[in-house]
Amino acid sequence: MAYFIYARDGAGLVVLRRETREAAEKKAAELREAGWFEVSIVEQKPK
C-alpha cells in the first residue's frame, strides 16, 4: 500500500509517496516544520 503526501507552499504543490503510514506521517511533520501548509496524507487503495 502506498501513501501520498500533498503539501503547498507559496509557489506550488508537492506530491510525495511513502510506502508506510509511519513514514508518510514523519515526512508530513517535517514539511509542516519547514513552513509548508495544507499538508495532507492520502492512502492509495489497492485495485
Side-chain angles (χ1 to χ4, degrees), residues 4 6 11 14-15 38 40-41 43-44 46:
F4 292 92
Y6 295 87
V14 68
V15 180
E38 295 182 17
S40 63
I41 299 172
E43 181 179 351
Q44 180 184 21

Side-chain angles (χ1 to χ4, degrees), residues 26 31 38 42-43:
K26 179 180 176 185
L31 290 169
E38 295 182 17
V42 178
E43 181 179 351

Side-chain angles (χ1 to χ4, degrees), residues 27-40:
K27 186 52 146 178
E30 291 171 1
L31 290 169
R32 286 185 192 102
E33 288 174 11
W36 292 77
F37 53 93
E38 295 182 17
V39 178
S40 63

Side-chain angles (χ1 to χ4, degrees), residues 3 9-10 13 17 21-22 24 27 34-36 38 40 43:
Y3 297 88
D9 70 355
L13 171 74
R17 177 184 168 148
R21 181 75 184 183
E22 293 80 14
K27 186 52 146 178
W36 292 77
E38 295 182 17
S40 63
E43 181 179 351

